[in-house]
Amino acid sequence: METTELEREVRNTLIENAELMAVLPNGANAIYHHVAPAVDPTRYPIIVYAPISDVPTLNGDNRELAHRVTIRIHVITSQRRFDTDERNFVTACRLVQATMASLHFYRQQTTPYVEEGKVMCVMDFVRKVKS
């Protein structure tokens, strides 16, 4: 399986999660690939996902047999609205973790982060796949 196929699988599975769509005010339009829009969204939380590494893990007969893919997911909310959006933000983080587990990814790390008026939960998920 190629990384692009995994990315598509991640997006589709996030969108198919009705509970997650219920806590994202803009539903599927709140999920972005690689970067959030330059224009600040009016409704939070939003989700941004991107592959950050694709590393060969098993080689044989002069070819790659397996690789490890890491997908980083940011769940982002506005700091000025954090008090009112905190429940949706925390729920979105929990649902993203459950969704990724259903895709056989394991969580490698989670980092809380605040920058430029945004509160973020940055999560790295890893999955080994056959080439």
Side-chain angles (χ1 to χ4, degrees), residues 4-130:
T4 55
E5 293 171 289
L6 274 178
E7 292 173 72
R8 199 173 13 246
E9 183 179 42
V10 166
R11 179 177 177 75
N12 290 340
T13 306
L14 289 170
I15 290 170
E16 290 167 2
N17 185 323
E19 276 187 277
L20 180 59
M21 291 300 100
V23 298
L24 299 177
N26 290 330
N29 292 327
I31 299 176
Y32 301 97
H33 187 240
H34 285 289
V35 294
V39 176
D40 196 21
T42 57
R43 300 182 75 192
Y44 287 93
I46 64 171
I47 294 173
V48 179
Y49 70 99
I52 61 167
S53 71
D54 183 339
V55 181
T57 57
L58 182 62
N59 293 293
D61 296 329
N62 294 323
R63 65 185 184 99
E64 182 181 301
L65 301 173
H67 56 120
R68 183 182 69 237
V69 177
T70 303
I71 303 282
R72 178 166 288 163
I73 298 181
H74 294 75
V75 179
I76 306 169
T77 195
S78 171
Q79 192 171 30
R80 68 181 180 274
R81 295 183 43 134
F82 185 71
D83 291 339
T84 57
D85 291 344
E86 181 179 12
R87 183 178 9 200
N88 285 345
F89 175 75
V90 171
T91 302
C93 292
R94 181 183 52 77
L95 292 169
V96 164
Q97 288 183 37
T99 301
M100 294 302 283
S102 77
L103 293 172
H104 307 290
F105 280 86
Y106 67 89
R107 187 173 55 86
Q108 187 174 45
Q109 67 178 1
T110 299
T111 307
Y113 189 70
V114 177
E115 181 179 295
E116 296 180 7
K118 305 292 184 279
V119 176
M120 298 174 231
C121 179
V122 182
M123 299 172 277
D124 290 349
F125 297 93
V126 178
R127 178 171 156 185
K128 293 182 181 174
V129 291
K130 292 181 182 178

